[in-house]
Amino acid sequence: GTEVSSSALKKQLKKARKDEAIRSSLRIEADGMLTADVNWLTLYGRGIGIWNNQKQFAADSKTIDAAIDLLLKAEFPEMPARFAWEDEKDERPKPVKVQRLVTVIVGDLKKTVVQDDRGPLSEPFANLTSKLVALCRESAAAGIGAENLADGLTKVAKGTLGPETLRISVNAPQMKSL
């Protein structure tokens, strides 16, 4: 997706509450130190959630609506891409540690907000991530996981797990001929 204006994203999020086609394109990803026991949460508008990269759970329309409402109430579309001190130049010591990150994709619109260990703490952003986790905790407890790769592939093939749960990572060392 393309990085967008806050008003365009806000408008699309509001539309996603009513329009099934737009809702099905929604993806909310939260990563980092979300709570003491959760560091990854993904919600798909079509009704699937992924908890801590370990379990798939059902995210009904009420849950998706509540997640959209949390984003709007926290003013996520208006948040900066990164929380930084006003007088800060990008001469930060490396490495920078990401504390939490949220990406929202709806249709071809995308916005990512990052809280790292160099900028000021944003309470509204921290509250947003913890509320998203709290919203999904009960459903996630009844989630389905995979015992191993073979079990996971079988569950995806049978439709027990959604295709969103399948991740393939490829590591291709650089080749000088390319």
Side-chain angles (χ1 to χ4, degrees):
T2 340
E3 290 291 336
V4 294
S5 73
S6 60
S7 60
L9 181 59
K10 188 187 286 189
K11 188 175 176 183
Q12 279 295 84
L13 285 169
K14 287 179 179 178
K15 282 183 180 179
R17 288 186 104 263
K18 299 174 183 85
D19 184 320
E20 194 61 38
I22 294 173
R23 175 189 292 268
S24 68
S25 74
L26 175 69
R27 185 168 79 214
I28 302 167
E29 297 177 350
D31 186 7
M33 297 183 298
L34 306 178
T35 62
D37 62 333
V38 179
N39 58 20
W40 188 274
L41 173 67
T42 305
L43 287 172
Y44 292 91
R46 73 176 198 93
I48 290 177
I50 300 174
W51 183 261
N52 242 4
N53 270 342
Q54 296 171 341
K55 291 194 230 175
Q56 172 186 300
F57 63 93
D60 60 15
S61 61
K62 193 171 129 183
T63 301
I64 299 300
D65 284 347
I68 292 170
D69 292 345
L70 286 172
L71 290 167
L72 294 171
K73 187 176 180 187
E75 299 182 341
F76 178 83
E78 292 81 12
M79 288 182 178
R82 180 179 159 266
F83 294 100
W85 301 106
E86 282 187 34
D87 61 350
E88 179 182 342
K89 296 177 183 73
D90 200 15
E91 297 170 7
R92 302 174 283 163
K94 304 293 188 239
V96 175
K97 183 178 179 186
V98 172
Q99 292 182 327
R100 61 187 60 82
L101 174 145
V102 173
T103 298
V104 174
I105 300 168
V106 58
D108 62 347
L109 306 181
K110 175 183 179 180
K111 178 171 180 102
T112 298
V113 174
V114 177
Q115 171 78 66
D116 63 34
D117 64 345
R118 301 291 184 229
L121 176 66
S122 167
E123 287 297 327
F125 191 55
N127 288 337
L128 170 63
T129 57
S130 63
K131 286 178 181 176
L132 284 169
V133 168
L135 173 67
C136 300
R137 189 174 290 281
E138 191 175 322
S139 298
I144 304 164
E147 297 300 315
N148 53 44
L149 180 60
D151 181 45
L153 291 172
T154 300
K155 286 178 177 172
V156 169
K158 289 182 177 178
T160 307
L161 290 174
E164 294 88 348
T165 63
L166 177 62
R167 260 207 178 122
I168 299 173
S169 297
V170 178
N171 183 6
Q174 289 186 336
M175 302 171 91
K176 291 182 182 183
S177 63
L178 298 176

